[in-house]
Amino acid sequence: MKHSDEHYMDLALEQAGQAALADEVPVGAVVVCDGEVVSAAYNRRESDHDPAGHAELLAIREASARLGRWRLSDCTVYVTLEPCPMCAGLMHQARIARCVFGAPDPKSGALGTLYALHEDERLNHRFEVTSGVREQESAALLRAFFGRRRGKGHRPLG
């Protein structure tokens, strides 16, 4: 059954909430193929001691494993925060059809804010991007998380 971008972003926001509960930066992602959620993940950098433990990277890996292929040209990645260069590069490598994200990332956004890897004509694959879906909710989760971190005297994550 095909749902709206908002529906799938709500699922990504649920993943982001799980990240916050795990004391991870609250970013969540889901991969959807043919209207079905194939995978879901949240940031796990702190938990796994892995600098590559980004939600979208984990969700794309899981989707590839479940589908038994690395080309995800019929898939959409939904993520609550604009992907960084690493994750945007992985989306390029996986040949995704589309990425939908919530909040822009002024510090490392690679799908329109700082870079536009998805439409770089020098690359052999381009993909569609839709931004701002559930942007307020995505940004509010991040603000609340970092507000709590600062309030506890923790150094910023990231």
Side-chain angles (χ1 to χ4, degrees):
M1 179 175 181
K2 187 158 171 76
H3 293 282
S4 67
D5 286 346
E6 289 78 10
H7 169 78
Y8 295 119
M9 190 60 76
D10 288 342
L11 299 177
L13 282 162
E14 288 175 14
Q15 290 294 309
Q18 291 297 312
L21 290 173
D23 206 26
E24 295 278 355
V25 175
V27 177
V30 297
V31 176
V32 175
C33 268
D34 298 323
E36 296 291 323
V37 175
V38 178
S39 63
Y42 57 83
N43 271 8
R44 295 191 50 85
R45 286 172 52 169
E46 301 296 325
S47 302
D48 295 346
H49 311 290
D50 180 2
H54 291 200
E56 53 270 62
L57 184 141
L58 297 171
I60 289 169
R61 274 190 184 155
E62 183 181 335
S64 289
R66 284 194 175 166
L67 294 170
R69 56 189 164 93
W70 66 267
R71 286 182 189 269
L72 303 179
S73 55
D74 55 346
C75 297
T76 298
V77 177
Y78 291 84
V79 60
T80 57
L81 181 64
E82 180 180 5
C84 70
M86 174 183 70
C87 293
L90 180 62
M91 290 176 190
H92 165 263
Q93 291 296 316
R95 309 297 195 263
I96 68 156
R98 184 170 174 242
C99 177
V100 177
F101 70 84
D105 186 348
K107 293 186 177 183
S108 66
L111 295 183
T113 300
L114 297 179
Y115 306 100
L117 289 176
H118 64 291
E119 60 186 15
D120 190 323
E121 293 183 6
R122 296 169 295 179
L123 299 175
N124 65 341
H125 175 72
R126 284 171 285 291
F127 54 94
E128 182 184 339
V129 170
T130 302
S131 61
V133 177
R134 299 282 194 251
E135 178 177 349
Q136 298 306 317
E137 297 91 331
S138 298
L141 267 176
L142 290 160
R143 276 194 306 274
F145 176 82
F146 285 110
R148 284 191 304 275
R149 298 291 291 188
R150 283 190 296 276
K152 291 180 183 176
H154 288 245
R155 63 177 174 74
L157 296 175

